[in-house]
Amino acid sequence: MNTPDVTSFLDTETNNISHIAADPDTGRCAIIDPLLDYDQASGRSSTKSADKIAEHVRAHGLTVEWIIDTHIHADHLSAGHYLRSELGGKLAIGEHISEVQKVFGKLFNADEDFRLDGSQFDHLFRDGETYKVGTIGARAIHTPGHTPACMTHLIGDAAFVGDTLFMPDYGTARCDFPGGDARTLYRSIHRIFELPDDTRMFLNHDYLPEGRDELRWISSVGEQRLGNIHVREGISEEDFVAMRTKRDATLATPKLMIPSVQVNMRAGSFPAPESNGIRYIKVPVDTL
């Protein structure tokens, strides 16, 4: 069996899509990019979205082997830590997480106990590393450019690309975060395009571009290679870099970037409580 059953969960507040990839023969699964709900105004978090994933896992008798973040997200908080406590499984991310932790650990002046080696996670994937979800073969592919730690996970015939690509009519990820690079993203996407055209592609976001009235998050390598408005066949690296650089200069900071990065670099945990027992999210002033 080389075809996982994929169930997706849309959060309408952030337009984030989380996925479960399950081996139908064994019921073993991977959860990819789960979301923790967070209200910026009140500073309150909830597990409503993550609990829907947990309910699905339990209702279908699945066993969680992996909880994977494709990268350190800047637009939502990860529910990885919470779901591991509820369902088990290994919490995992790409090994280049340490580069992101060093940058943002310094920016947010993290406490001296904050480790910069990715050890908050149970497993750090290497480029090209193979693993299994049940009996289904899987491979981690380092696809940086949006961030230094972005990974694409190929599980059977399904590729989970994180924020690297959007639907073909919306394009590609921004590259203006620390450690991002448009030239690197172009080359990463072309690594993905080397996969078979019929490889299913599961995306993390859809922002409903003009002319389309239905959210979508499933594409294919062939559809992207031939039709992505930013990086389809025939668009040169230089043209892509020029387009991406110009476009990124117009984009605002994501609404939840400040809390998201501080939680996600800790594998979905909030900073440790201070002397009064309260956890805090820091806001760097006149910096971002």
Side-chain angles (χ1 to χ4, degrees):
M1 172 61 67
N2 199 42
T3 304
D5 290 336
V6 180
T7 305
S8 302
F9 301 81
L10 169 68
D11 174 63
T12 56
E13 293 296 317
T14 61
N15 281 72
N16 180 74
I17 300 104
S18 306
H19 308 283
I20 298 175
D23 176 7
D25 287 345
T26 65
R28 295 185 175 273
C29 71
I31 299 171
I32 298 137
D33 293 324
L35 174 141
L36 187 71
D37 300 284
Y38 183 76
D39 180 66
Q40 179 87 304
S42 66
R44 288 198 170 272
S45 64
S46 89
T47 60
K48 181 177 66 175
S49 294
D51 287 336
K52 292 178 182 177
I53 292 175
E55 288 167 9
H56 179 91
V57 167
R58 292 172 179 138
H60 290 80
L62 302 178
T63 300
V64 176
E65 290 190 305
W66 297 97
I67 302 172
I68 298 169
D69 277 319
T70 54
H71 63 292
I72 293 296
H73 300 271
D75 44 36
H76 71 268
L77 283 64
S78 171
H81 178 81
Y82 170 72
L83 285 175
R84 181 181 60 181
S85 70
E86 291 289 306
L87 302 170
K90 290 183 180 180
L91 187 55
I93 200 166
E95 65 178 345
H96 292 273
I97 175 61
S98 58
E99 297 175 32
V100 179
Q101 288 175 324
K102 288 170 186 175
V103 170
F104 286 108
K106 181 178 180 180
L107 173 65
F108 291 109
N109 198 28
D111 61 78
E112 59 184 19
D113 293 332
F114 176 64
R115 301 182 302 279
L116 304 175
D117 59 0
S119 56
Q120 298 87 349
F121 296 83
D122 300 316
H123 185 81
L124 302 180
F125 284 109
R126 304 180 310 277
D127 183 32
E129 181 178 349
T130 58
Y131 62 104
K132 284 192 173 183
V133 177
T135 60
I136 299 175
R139 176 161 54 100
I141 306 168
H142 186 213
T143 48
H146 175 54
T147 81
C150 289
M151 302 287 285
T152 290
H153 286 267
L154 180 66
I155 301 174
D157 72 337
F160 299 87
V161 299
D163 291 358
T164 301
L165 286 157
F166 301 121
M167 289 303 295
D169 57 358
Y170 198 82
T172 58
R174 65 193 295 170
C175 300
D176 58 333
F177 295 152
D181 181 78
R183 197 172 299 279
T184 301
L185 181 64
Y186 181 90
R187 295 172 184 178
S188 291
I189 290 170
H190 278 265
R191 288 192 72 188
I192 297 171
F193 286 175
E194 292 173 0
L195 298 172
D197 278 354
D198 61 354
T199 302
R200 294 182 292 164
M201 186 181 293
F202 292 87
L203 314 176
N204 260 154
H205 295 282
D206 188 35
Y207 296 107
L208 211 60
E210 187 176 348
R212 177 156 55 85
D213 57 9
E214 184 179 18
L215 290 168
R216 295 179 59 204
W217 51 81
I218 305 174
S219 183
S220 70
V221 168
E223 182 184 19
Q224 294 277 2
R225 186 173 56 80
L226 295 175
N228 188 288
I229 60 172
H230 291 168
V231 72
R232 65 182 177 273
E233 236 175 42
I235 293 178
S236 71
E237 182 174 317
E238 296 304 324
D239 286 344
F240 176 80
V241 170
M243 176 281 302
R244 193 68 262 174
T245 302
K246 181 179 180 181
R247 181 175 173 83
D248 289 349
T250 70
L251 300 179
T253 301
K255 182 173 66 173
L256 291 179
M257 180 172 179
I258 288 173
S260 294
V261 172
Q262 291 178 76
V263 169
N264 296 345
M265 70 183 187
R266 293 176 168 87
S269 295
F270 283 90
E274 298 196 6
S275 58
N276 60 357
I278 299 174
R279 300 174 186 268
Y280 290 89
I281 294 292
K282 296 179 178 178
V283 179
V285 177
D286 296 332
T287 302
L288 293 173

